[in-house]
Amino acid sequence: MKVEVVGRPTTIHLVGESHCVQFSDTLARVPGAEETLLCRVRYLREVTASNCDATFQQVLDALKAEGVLDPGGNADWLVSDVNAVYLSGRPMLAPPIVFFMGDVDLQTLFQLLRDEYDFELPDDPGYGVDRNKTPMPLAAVQQQIEATYRPFEAMLQALRPVFPRLMVHGLPPRTPDDAKAARWTGGVTVAAAVRSKMTVLANRRLAGICAALDIPFLDTWAETSLDGYLHPDFELDGLHLNQRATAVSLSAIAAALYDHTAPTHNPFRYQLLRIAAPPYDGPRDEAAERDWSARGIAIGRLDPADTRRWASGLSFDAGAANPAAHPHWVGYPRGGRPGVATARLSSERLEAAAASLGSPAARRLFQAGEAMDYGQVFLRPIALDPGQAAAADLPTPLECRRALVCLDDGGAVELETTEGAAIQTLAAREGLLVVYDPRRVRCRARAEASVARFAEIGLAHRPASHPFRVVAPGLCDWPADPFHYTVKDAPAWPPFAHDLVHERSPA
Amino acid sequence: MGIDRTSPYLKVPASARWRDSMAGRSPESINPHAGPSFLLGAGDRIASAGSCFAQRISESLRARGYNYLITEQGPPFVDEAAKRELGYGVYSARYGNIYTVLQLVQLFQRAFGRFEPQEPLWTNGEGRFVDPFRPGVQPGGFASESECLWDRASHLKAVRRVFEEADVLIFTLGLTESWVSADDGAVFPVCPGAGLGGRFDPERHLFHNFTLTEVVEHLETFLALLAEVNPSARVILTVSPVPLIATFEPRHVLQSTVYSKSVLRVACEEIIRRHDHVHYFASYEIVTATGDTRRYFQDDRREVADEAVAHVIDCFGQQFLGGDAPVAAPAPPPAAVAGPSSNKPLCDENEILKAMADLAASSTTA
């Protein structure tokens, strides 16, 4: 029998309450992409949002069982054997983990409430209030929900630093059928409006926790509800959603994978990238070396004529979406970067940019204070309207640095320390190049009386096997794993030989 | 010359003689009661209301397993400590502190639809809503006007049950000084604009210091109203030993405190002489007259020390509970659940002090 290999899906770990069970071993294809998602489910029947401080070990055990944690309790994606990673043909990225938590606690609250209490929901979408019931002050309900979810919040806080692709799934809408719902509250009937309003508040709380921790909150309420209650098309048993709803949730998960890439780069792989880089043996600039050492800045000027070759007459698109958004790249969401217009670079322009940015004038500044070769330049032209300012605001991987090139006269480049102390403001002149260490310095481009154009640059080391290269990944900044990433939507000069960069990193 | 055998002095009980009941005794051994006038039964539904000192008695009753009547329980999922913060279970209903007798009368009248004050809801600094007649029960205020009014309606329903169902009502008289609405005579527990919400309007918010005649009349009115809905209810009156936080009379606060407590104490006396079903418990005397004030009050000479409270509770037990023996499995007292930091009564006046301190601090730093 001959089999056909169909690919390597991305594993999504769904962990927590019974709502995750519907996803067991589900395969899903991301529309318009080659990505396939495989759902691995860990139903933790004893773990709830309110007790996951006491049951945290069960969560860790589940993550160990899934290989997310190694037997020693370390995050596997950070400590995996690099050869094994290479052989696996995958990027070394944090696993996507989706938590389903908070509904068991809510059902317990319903059970206590019986059908005697009601409360006013701010911004009530139409549930109303039964004033014949005993009122509960909103503040009391909110306090209770907050207290109930505090252990879950603490657990997310503990996991988030090592698992930057955590997600939290929202609680589902409630069935309007009180009798069906009572099956899950020990036979206690609670009015659908009250159950729903409590759930709305609980979801608001979960969303707040997620926002504070920069974790995507998967909100499928709009898609799975009808007039504020569970849409009959998705109802299974008075509480759980049926198989059809998994597609809705997986769409939200996929969207988060594409839109929430900012925290996903692998810091250790970037350290290995520096090890893999050849030494830089080009010219150096003594003033730039001193400035870098003192302030984390190197300032100089490219030949304006060279800059013009790749930057004049660019066509900028305000509010452009980011079609290149991809889990392999740290970048802006698919919706784009509000307020900043960007331009695409043709092959010809990229070639000119590679010549300009590979010139000694540029390299001297790129390499200030650094022995290994910054041979990968990620380039993005931007245009700012009069009075507008922009700063590169996505995280910068370890060992990488950033730069800004002025493409016109006019406008300004403002430099300040990361603590907010002003360092220097430079009048923008065509070809002005400012290289800076984003761990020490914040750099803001500002347009003044007229539209100002700049180029935002990310500098990463190059593996010895790669040439000096300029890449234009649009609204993406860096590969999340610098040894494994797609370059299908990232034009470059010299061009990549394949759509996928897949390198063996140093051990 | 010796005392004649016919002298009435020889017939008074020891408790009536200073030498036998007071002289040389340690404060905690003094019980200023002649003996139990009646004992609360395990099945008696006991309700309480009054100034913040009254909370100590309600806590004691609950701790000893008595049938303390609570008609406004609060959301069932909220733990005891949080309920207490929200004013649930502090008294029999969530009316907060009731400092004056007229306030108690009007609470009854409002509960039974006989009085509807014109005072609109107050708002606090955060734009939230406050019930002027129990401004401290919802920390931070209610989220909306309708929530506040709905809660009030539900509260007054619970108050009706307190008056209708209680077998015994313990009321602690706190103050004679009060703030009254010029519109309709509605009495506020605190001055509007004093940190718990509202704005003070000198045209509408009037200061009034009740006279003995007025307090007695208000007590009579209340007893008559209570008898209408609950003829068999007994009443225990006490006077709070806590001094005034401030006086609005043009005189020293100590003079006003003595006036106020004297009026309240005498009013109680007048009433118990007239009504057999009304009894007096001497909280005021226990705290102010049995020990030295340095032991029974905190350094501010106002807050009653825990030692004094324990003495009061002990005497209350002897007087009405038949000693210390619990009659049922004791419910955990709110204070025990809340922990030591919550072991103080919830006093509106303390909130006013805090607001004044905050204002002073902000004025200093501005």
Side-chain angles (χ1 to χ4, degrees), chain B residues 116-342:
Chain B
E116 194 167 336
Q118 294 175 34
E119 183 76 6
L121 297 182
W122 293 350
T123 52
N124 61 20
E126 290 76 48
R128 290 173 176 265
F129 293 84
V130 174
D131 187 339
F133 302 102
R134 45 184 193 134
V137 298
Q138 182 67 41
F142 288 93
S144 66
E145 188 174 5
S146 55
E147 181 183 73
C148 187
L149 291 173
W150 179 22
D151 195 87
R152 177 193 276 180
S154 174
H155 161 66
L156 292 176
K157 207 164 136 186
V159 172
R160 284 203 294 276
R161 284 190 54 209
V162 171
F163 290 131
E164 287 169 344
E165 296 176 16
D167 294 310
V168 178
L169 173 70
I170 304 167
F171 181 62
T172 302
L173 292 79
L175 299 174
T176 54
E177 293 192 13
S178 66
W179 293 91
V180 181
S181 168
D183 296 332
D184 53 15
V187 184
F188 307 109
V190 295
C191 179
L196 290 171
R199 282 180 70 84
F200 179 67
D201 177 353
E203 298 296 316
R204 293 183 52 247
H205 300 132
L206 309 177
F207 172 70
H208 184 76
N209 197 357
F210 292 112
T211 64
L212 173 63
T213 307
E214 286 172 321
V215 175
V216 170
E217 184 187 319
H218 297 154
L219 279 169
E220 286 288 6
T221 303
F222 174 71
L223 293 173
L225 289 169
L226 183 63
E228 280 182 35
V229 299
N230 189 350
S232 62
R234 285 171 292 181
V235 175
I236 298 172
L237 299 176
T238 70
V239 175
S240 164
V242 179
L244 274 64
I245 191 171
T247 182
F248 291 91
E249 295 282 9
R251 64 185 175 202
H252 196 281
V253 67
L254 183 57
Q255 282 192 47
S256 286
T257 295
V258 171
Y259 164 80
S260 190
K261 301 300 176 183
S262 302
V263 164
L264 298 175
R265 176 64 188 90
V266 174
C268 290
E269 195 66 26
E270 288 282 311
I271 292 297
I272 60 171
R273 285 168 188 264
R274 295 180 196 174
H275 300 280
D276 289 342
H277 71 295
V278 184
H279 306 264
Y280 178 71
F281 174 65
S283 306
Y284 179 76
E285 289 87 335
I286 293 167
V287 176
T288 60
T290 58
D292 72 63
T293 54
R294 296 175 72 118
R295 279 180 65 199
Y296 272 23
F297 283 96
Q298 306 277 13
D299 289 345
D300 65 358
R301 300 186 178 187
R302 183 166 182 274
E303 190 174 334
V304 178
D306 289 345
E307 193 177 352
V309 173
H311 187 185
V312 170
I313 298 306
D314 187 49
C315 290
F316 189 88
Q318 291 176 39
Q319 185 67 5
F320 296 110
L321 308 180
D324 289 330
V327 293
V337 178
S341 63
S342 302

Side-chain angles (χ1 to χ4, degrees), chain B residues 81-104:
Chain B
K83 276 187 183 177
R84 184 179 150 81
E85 294 272 315
L86 290 164
Y88 292 107
V90 174
Y91 296 113
S92 293
R94 197 184 179 211
Y95 27 66
N97 297 319
I98 298 174
Y99 294 103
T100 59
V101 183
L102 185 56
Q103 201 189 329
L104 179 69

Side-chain angles (χ1 to χ4, degrees), chain A residues 341-359:
Chain A
T342 56
R344 297 183 71 81
L345 291 167
S346 64
S347 297
E348 293 74 23
R349 286 180 187 272
L350 272 173
E351 185 177 5
S356 172
L357 299 172
S359 68

Side-chain angles (χ1 to χ4, degrees), chain A residues 82 240 501:
Chain A
V82 292
H240 300 97
V501 170

Side-chain angles (χ1 to χ4, degrees), chain A residues 99-415:
Chain A
F99 277 107
F100 289 75
M101 291 259 184
D103 209 6
V104 170
D105 307 276
L106 219 47
Q107 299 300 322
T108 305
L109 293 184
F110 295 160
Q111 205 163 346
L112 289 169
L113 278 184
R114 304 178 301 277
D115 207 20
E116 296 171 13
Y117 293 86
D118 203 341
F119 70 100
E120 285 189 3
L121 176 72
D123 308 318
D124 186 339
Y127 295 113
V129 172
D130 183 350
R131 295 193 191 277
N132 292 316
K133 291 183 179 168
T134 305
M136 294 184 289
L138 172 68
V141 183
Q142 285 173 322
Q143 275 170 26
Q144 184 60 35
I145 287 173
E146 192 170 321
T148 300
Y149 288 172
R150 207 166 286 140
F152 182 46
E153 182 179 18
M155 185 182 82
L156 293 174
Q157 271 170 342
L159 293 174
R160 171 63 179 76
V162 281
F163 293 113
R165 291 208 287 183
L166 284 189
M167 304 174 204
V168 173
H169 200 290
L171 304 175
R174 300 303 170 195
T175 176
D177 187 331
D178 291 344
K180 267 189 181 176
R183 176 180 171 187
W184 304 97
T185 51
V188 173
T189 300
V190 180
V194 175
R195 284 185 283 112
S196 297
K197 288 189 288 185
M198 295 273 286
T199 308
V200 169
L201 275 187
N203 273 333
R204 287 179 187 171
R205 176 70 190 132
L206 289 174
I209 291 170
C210 288
L213 296 174
D214 191 25
I215 292 172
F217 174 68
L218 307 176
D219 183 359
T220 60
W221 189 279
E223 293 90 338
T224 55
S225 65
L226 179 67
D227 298 329
Y229 297 100
L230 180 58
H231 196 299
D233 288 353
F234 296 112
E235 168 137 16
L236 179 69
D237 57 8
L239 178 70
H240 300 97
L241 277 59
N242 60 24
Q243 198 75 42
R244 290 180 67 180
T246 58
V248 176
S249 295
L250 283 165
S251 299
I253 291 168
L257 286 179
Y258 277 71
D259 289 340
H260 191 261
T261 56
T264 58
H265 71 263
N266 186 322
F268 298 107
R269 298 285 268 182
Y270 271 93
Q271 287 181 313
L272 292 176
L273 181 64
R274 185 172 185 273
I275 292 168
Y280 170 74
D281 54 7
R284 290 197 176 268
D285 180 321
E286 278 187 27
E289 297 292 329
R290 279 196 304 274
D291 214 10
W292 189 270
S293 170
R295 306 193 295 175
I297 304 168
I299 302 169
R301 195 167 181 202
L302 305 177
D303 182 339
D306 285 352
T307 310
R308 227 166 284 142
R309 277 188 201 101
W310 58 273
S312 70
L314 282 170
S315 173
F316 285 87
D317 187 359
N322 180 14
H326 193 280
H328 284 185
W329 286 82
V330 172
Y332 291 93
R334 288 166 304 160
R337 183 185 183 188
V340 178
T342 56
R344 297 183 71 81
L345 291 167
S346 64
S347 297
E348 293 74 23
R349 286 180 187 272
L350 272 173
E351 185 177 5
S356 172
L357 299 172
S359 68
R363 301 296 305 276
R364 284 198 276 257
L365 301 180
F366 291 168
Q367 292 294 150
E370 171 56 23
M372 312 310 283
D373 192 328
Y374 275 120
Q376 293 195 76
V377 179
F378 300 101
L379 176 65
R380 172 169 57 238
I382 62 168
L384 301 175
D385 286 336
Q388 197 182 5
D393 51 3
L394 295 175
T396 305
L398 278 174
E399 312 294 353
C400 294
R401 51 180 65 173
R402 290 184 180 272
L404 195 69
V405 180
C406 300
L407 305 181
D408 297 309
D409 290 343
V413 178
E414 297 166 344
L415 297 164

